[in-house]
Amino acid sequence: MNKAEQLKKNLAAGKVCLGTHCWTQDLDFYEMCGWIGYDYIWIDNEHGGMSWPMIKNAIIAANAGGCSAIVRVQDHETAHIKPVIEAGPDGIIFPMVNTPEEAKKCVDACMYPPKGKRGFGPGRAIDYGLKPMDEYLETIDDCLFKIVQCESAEAVRNLDKICKVPGVDAVICGPMDLSGSVGKLGEFFDPEVKELMRTIALTCKAHGKPFGVSVGYAPELIEFWKDLGASFLSMGNPQDYFRIMSQQMLERFRVNQIKK
């Protein structure tokens, strides 16, 4: 069982999977995240502006550390999706999916005909040619976790139809952009924003789709989503944790210095 299949098995069993975001060139972070105990690493090419070698190396390092590698691609264009999936990630995240038509375009790029429109040319995805072709084709749909992001009021209105698109495996909320779409950027606990987030959870539950959230260091918001029944929680990034711990250490020892 590969890591994508294990992730799906854990989600189906009701386990809450925990992840973090990363887009650094330093491969140590990806490998270390697995050793620390994260279930997956969100490799961010939408905002991180990662180059192609960075993405492939990050996938390999994350897997080496023992956790799933899930890549957020920069948009819905096939040319930007194709090289990423050929590198054999465990999952793909599509940002800003607002309509069922957009969802279909995204998943079509990940599945071979007749299910989709993926062109053939796997590299690491087929174990560099070591995996038998029939085995690869039989298992590839289960080996690539396809996640769409719900990040706008429009997406919430269309989520019922989006969840019905064959190939959509899960939904993840981007609460910052979601709140911004109704003119309340960052106001996560505003009643209107909370209702949109609850609607995402209820719609996904109605369709039996795993769902989760992607946030920075925001413990209260993470607890909110956990209470909604979120299946996976994507939390913080190395910069967040370096900043927070640095501030805590500086404050602790500067206070002690003043006391002396």
Side-chain angles (χ1 to χ4, degrees):
M1 180 181 296
N2 71 8
K3 292 176 174 61
E5 291 172 312
Q6 183 63 56
L7 185 63
K8 287 185 178 183
K9 182 179 178 181
N10 290 340
L11 292 171
K15 177 183 176 182
V16 177
C17 295
L18 306 177
T20 190
H21 312 84
C22 198
W23 53 86
T24 177
Q25 294 186 59
D26 298 317
L27 302 183
D28 316 47
F29 283 104
Y30 302 96
E31 186 176 38
M32 184 168 57
C33 282
W35 290 354
I36 289 171
Y38 283 108
D39 296 297
Y40 63 91
I41 302 175
W42 175 310
I43 300 168
D44 193 13
N45 190 38
E46 185 193 15
H47 293 292
M50 300 174 71
S51 66
W52 166 238
M54 287 171 63
I55 297 170
K56 184 173 75 171
N57 291 338
I59 293 169
I60 294 171
N63 286 169
C67 66
S68 296
I70 303 179
V71 181
R72 176 162 67 174
V73 290
Q74 62 195 73
D75 54 32
H76 306 164
E77 295 306 312
T78 301
H80 297 147
I81 298 168
K82 187 182 296 185
V84 173
I85 56 180
E86 307 302 25
D90 303 295
I92 294 287
I93 300 166
F94 299 101
M96 290 289 182
V97 177
N98 295 317
T99 67
E101 292 78 17
E102 290 176 356
K104 187 175 188 310
K105 178 180 179 181
C106 291
V107 297
D108 275 356
C110 298
M111 298 189 295
Y112 293 116
K115 292 182 180 179
K117 299 179 180 178
R118 178 179 176 180
F120 194 83
R124 182 175 180 268
I126 196 171
D127 296 347
Y128 308 104
L130 295 172
K131 180 179 288 187
M133 180 70 70
D134 56 350
E135 179 185 341
Y136 171 70
L137 293 176
E138 183 180 345
T139 60
I140 183 58
D141 286 343
D142 291 327
C143 295
L144 184 62
F145 197 45
K146 298 172 286 296
I147 307 169
V148 299
Q149 275 201 273
C150 186
E151 303 183 84
S152 70
E154 179 188 8
V156 176
R157 290 193 298 269
N158 290 323
L159 190 55
D160 181 68
K161 294 179 180 178
I162 290 171
C163 285
K164 293 177 181 177
V165 175
V168 171
D169 293 317
V171 176
I172 195 159
C173 175
M176 184 63 79
D177 286 326
L178 179 63
S179 62
S181 74
V182 292
K184 298 176 180 179
L185 188 66
E187 298 179 38
F188 304 129
F189 295 104
D190 173 87
E192 182 180 11
V193 178
K194 285 175 69 176
E195 186 57 31
L196 287 169
M197 292 191 289
R198 287 195 185 96
T199 300
I200 293 172
L202 290 172
T203 304
C204 289
K205 287 178 180 179
H207 288 275
K209 297 286 184 184
F211 66 94
V213 66
S214 167
V215 297
Y217 182 76
E220 290 184 5
L221 185 58
I222 293 166
E223 286 289 347
F224 176 82
W225 275 92
K226 185 180 178 190
D227 290 342
L228 287 176
S231 304
F232 45 95
L233 305 170
S234 308
M235 310 170 290
N237 60 65
Q239 288 90 336
D240 284 333
Y241 298 122
F242 178 78
R243 181 189 72 250
I244 292 162
M245 188 169 183
S246 293
Q247 289 173 328
Q248 291 174 346
M249 294 293 284
L250 289 170
E251 181 178 358
R252 175 177 177 176
F253 288 102
R254 280 176 176 160
V255 168
N256 289 342
Q257 188 177 38
I258 291 171
K259 287 181 179 179
K260 292 180 181 179

